[in-house]
Amino acid sequence: MAQPASNSLTGVLERIIFFNEENHYTIAEFRPDTRDRNEEDDTAKVTIVGPLPGVECGETLHLEGEWTRHAQHGAQFKIASFKSELPSSVYGIRKYLGSGLVPGIGKVYANKIVDAFGTDTFRVLSEESGKLRNVAGIGKKRAGSIKSAWDEKKTERELYIFLQTYGVTPSQCVKLVNRFGNDAKRILMQEPYRVAREVDGIGFKTADRIAINLGFANDAAPRLDAGIIYALETLQEEGHTAFREAELRDHTALLLETDSKLVEARIAALVDNKYLIRHDSPVGPVGDRAARPTAGPTANALIQLPHNDRAEQKIADVIARLGKVTSCLPAIKVDAAVTWAEGKAGFDYHELQRAALRSALQSKVSVITGGPGVGKTTILRALVEILRAKKVRVHLAAPTGRAAQRLAETTGGYASTIHRLLKYDASKGGFVANESSPLATDFLIVDEASMLDSRLASALLQAVPARAHLLLVGDTDQLPSVGAGNVLKDIIATEQVPVTRLSVIYRQQGQSQIVVTAHAINSGDPSLPPVLSNVADAQVWSDLNFIAAIDAEDCLRKIIELCTEFIPRKLKWPHPIHDVQVLAPMHRGVAGVGNLNQQLQAALNPNRQTMRTTTGEYRPGDKIIQLRNNYDKNLFNGDIGTVTLVDGINGTLTADFDGESHVFDRGAFGDLALAYTISIHKSQGSEYPVVIVPLLKAHFMMLQRNLIYTAITRGRKKVFLVGEPAAYAMAVRNSESKQRITYLRERISAGGQT
């Protein structure tokens, strides 16, 4: 059947081929309306795909969308929106009732009811349901249940139509109904901003659009309150756990296009009602975050969302508690233990390394910080050996799976991710290990601690027993945590905890170009090794090469050449997919994450079975990344896996993550992305055998010293920079990373319990 160019269709939903309960994504057969059509003419049917919540076979639908062509299944109509009406023909009514829509009505009773009432069936069900008892086999009880189910489905359908009228997408409709049931319409009309607080995936902007359409005033208190909370949540996404009240007032007023005095009054009201927390005066030194002089009574106040306030308070409380309680470690002659560890290592430690070991063994809470190649691994290996020799229970943890794996390999101990260590219990909505049920450990070592955001750090520290030791190890020159907070830097800045800063380079006796370059970046030195014009000129013996590219297209070509030709032929040992990781500064553009993934997938994994989804195409063998924590699957943000199977018919994808097989349906595809290329931010805490970094002046918005430093230090054996030397220099010279505003160091300086 030739498909029309129209972007709309009207007809009957014939058969549902696939349906996802979570997001209502549907693949179905659809019979468009035609004149004098033959009801049994299968050639009139077309395939439709997209979200269809609340519909059943036999319904007449008005669809808006576009025609697309699937490589395997041919022409399909992709649904953008739809409206539903009850079918008017006897044929449609019979199919509709026979689809199982109404409990108590199967095909047999559907035929009996339609035979009895014909085209008047739906009016009877709605207005004269008592007549159902005249149908053979339907008694009073069955008639009542049929009427009840019919009315419920009608309410649900009307709700979907109402929601879509106000710009709510079908998938958002599903979330609203799942959360509020049949009360969704009432709540949306009376408390539209409530949905932004309580329904994941429906933010302030959607709720605000609905509220304005419903006639809510621009300066109505519910709108101002929701706008203030939204502003703080947006600032939280930028890393802040607190914000100056005067600046929050002005920021929100601009966002909502309203009077700042009205916003100021609502901030005060939210504080009074405990929806926000105000810290009117610093409880400790605020350092470089001191508020600028501002007119008004709240000039120096900081405002926090309650969960951020609780998280930072708990961190400060635990650090104070650990410092006050006696250690559970057995008697250890520290100097003798260090000498013993040197003997096992076969070389003498630097004095800074000895100091770090002494501090960890003698202090309940301590920090080791420093860049690559300065001996952090040597210290951790020695510390674990000493503690094991003394029969001490040691736990090792890191924020990501790759970091935990590396920690286990370098120390010889067992290491896990923080989430797995704390054991999330989905039924309770929290971690099994907590303040009331602490970890069974005497010594907790946390690597890559610069990645700890406030909420994860709070959960972790609360699970540390009062008599145990805590050692945080990290590189403060890396990018800060993806989540809000600045935990490691704040702890160091308080000067309340012993800190050992390692600075002497040991790795490969200082010959590693990766290490030398990383330390040069931190010192602001933009010097590079010789810049090469061609991929073929790359020096196999060097662990860092810079290959020049004249523009984004040239950069893309050379990255593909590295992955498909140079690395497999010249290096030979790396697997071009599993061992090579491209790290891009930005998501968009020719040399951005999105396009690089598509191009590398085509180059490295071509001509395979493909499944198209709303988030991209997947093939067996693809490298993918988990984008959000999924506690049910025990998968976490940043985990890397490999697609092993795609099932287009059932709409599922199977992938292997560290030896564990997981099945994803269409509702979970939004949590996945191709990972041939990932952002530099997503690479935190991980190391890869080979790293490739596109670096262009077009990336100027993201070019900062800590960004390029983080990218280069992710490479364990080889790093290839591909791009413009001027872009590298721009990044190295730009040391002004955005300052995060928190309240943690003030809490710690006050000794917790403020």
Side-chain angles (χ1 to χ4, degrees), residues 95-137:
K95 290 209 69 170
Y96 184 70
L97 290 183
S99 67
L101 165 66
V102 183
I105 302 181
K107 288 186 177 181
V108 173
Y109 280 106
N111 288 332
K112 288 183 178 181
I113 292 170
V114 176
D115 287 344
F117 305 114
T119 57
D120 208 28
T121 296
F122 288 156
R123 189 192 63 77
V124 170
L125 288 170
S126 298
E127 301 172 10
E128 299 181 75
S129 60
K131 287 185 176 180
L132 290 171
R133 296 172 63 184
N134 296 330
V135 176

Side-chain angles (χ1 to χ4, degrees), residues 484-754:
N486 216 6
V487 175
L488 185 62
K489 279 190 175 180
D490 282 346
I491 290 174
I492 292 172
T494 65
E495 300 182 355
Q496 304 288 307
V497 171
V499 178
T500 306
R501 292 179 173 84
L502 303 174
S503 56
V504 179
I505 301 174
Y506 300 98
R507 190 192 293 183
Q508 297 177 14
Q509 293 75 48
Q511 296 304 306
S512 167
Q513 195 64 44
I514 294 174
V515 173
V516 170
T517 302
H519 286 272
I521 290 170
N522 277 341
S523 66
D525 179 2
S527 300
L528 274 171
V531 177
L532 309 169
S533 299
N534 302 304
V535 171
D537 298 331
Q539 299 164 332
V540 175
W541 52 265
S542 177
D543 63 355
L544 188 144
N545 282 273
F546 196 113
I547 301 168
I550 58 175
D551 55 27
E553 286 76 13
D554 189 34
C555 178
L556 173 63
R557 282 194 297 271
K558 287 176 175 174
I559 288 174
I560 292 174
E561 184 180 349
L562 275 169
C563 293
T564 59
E565 297 182 29
F566 182 86
I567 290 173
R569 293 180 183 177
K570 295 293 182 71
L571 298 186
K572 297 183 180 179
W573 55 266
H575 187 285
I577 295 179
H578 303 306
D579 294 335
V580 178
Q581 186 61 60
V582 182
L583 304 178
M586 297 184 70
H587 284 269
R588 297 181 180 179
V590 174
V593 172
N595 188 55
L596 277 165
N597 267 320
Q598 291 182 15
Q599 300 301 323
L600 287 169
Q601 180 191 48
L604 296 172
N605 194 20
N607 303 320
R608 301 291 296 271
Q609 179 187 359
T610 298
M611 181 169 67
R612 295 181 179 179
T613 74
T614 55
T615 60
E617 295 186 2
Y618 296 101
R619 306 167 182 174
D622 278 341
K623 182 161 62 172
I624 57 173
I625 184 170
Q626 176 77 17
L627 299 176
R628 298 176 185 85
N629 292 341
N630 185 325
Y631 295 103
D632 292 333
K633 293 183 182 297
N634 206 27
L635 291 175
F636 304 101
N637 186 1
D639 284 353
I640 300 286
T642 303
V643 177
T644 55
L645 178 69
V646 294
D647 184 345
I649 296 176
N650 294 312
T652 61
L653 175 155
T654 305
D656 179 273
F657 285 81
D658 293 328
E660 295 182 4
S661 183
H662 298 275
V663 178
F664 301 85
D665 60 22
R666 293 186 186 276
F669 288 165
D671 293 344
L672 300 175
L674 291 174
Y676 296 93
T677 303
I678 62 175
S679 69
I680 296 172
H681 283 82
K682 285 288 187 185
S683 73
Q684 289 173 262
S686 297
E687 274 190 352
Y688 312 92
V690 180
V691 162
I692 302 173
V693 185
L695 207 56
L696 300 165
K697 287 186 289 185
H699 299 149
F700 69 93
M701 291 182 63
M702 298 297 295
L703 294 180
Q704 294 178 343
R705 183 178 295 176
N706 59 358
L707 185 88
I708 189 65
Y709 174 83
T710 299
I712 286 177
T713 55
R714 299 309 88 205
R716 186 161 68 244
K717 294 184 178 181
K718 299 285 183 182
V719 171
F720 295 90
L721 301 174
V722 184
E724 299 166 298
Y728 178 84
M730 288 170 61
V732 174
R733 293 190 179 110
N734 182 11
S735 61
E736 297 180 3
S737 56
K738 192 168 184 179
Q739 181 67 45
R740 293 189 170 193
I741 301 173
T742 71
Y743 199 59
L744 179 58
R745 71 174 75 171
E746 290 84 356
R747 294 278 202 191
I748 296 173
S749 296
Q753 299 297 337
T754 58

Side-chain angles (χ1 to χ4, degrees), residues 145-213:
S145 66
I146 290 172
K147 170 63 174 173
S148 176
W150 175 256
D151 289 345
E152 181 181 340
K153 197 68 177 181
K154 178 184 177 183
T155 301
E156 182 179 317
R157 183 182 296 101
E158 289 176 347
L159 173 62
Y160 284 127
I161 294 171
F162 166 79
L163 292 174
Q164 289 183 70
T165 301
Y166 289 99
V168 181
T169 66
S171 61
Q172 289 173 327
C173 291
V174 174
K175 292 179 178 180
L176 279 166
V177 173
N178 288 344
R179 173 66 182 84
F180 299 119
N182 289 336
D183 285 335
K185 183 176 179 180
R186 177 187 62 78
I187 290 170
L188 201 58
M189 294 187 72
Q190 298 176 4
E191 305 174 83
Y193 294 102
R194 178 180 168 188
V195 303
R197 297 194 306 270
E198 298 186 22
V199 181
D200 183 39
I202 299 182
F204 169 79
K205 289 184 177 179
T206 299
D208 194 43
R209 183 176 64 249
I210 295 168
I212 296 299
N213 287 340

Side-chain angles (χ1 to χ4, degrees), residues 218 223-224 227 231 246-261 263:
N218 193 56
R223 180 172 190 265
L224 297 179
E247 294 182 24
L248 174 63
R249 173 199 63 199
D250 296 341
H251 176 72
T252 307
L254 183 65
L255 175 74
L256 300 181
E257 299 179 342
T258 191
D259 191 324
S260 61
K261 290 186 177 180
V263 176

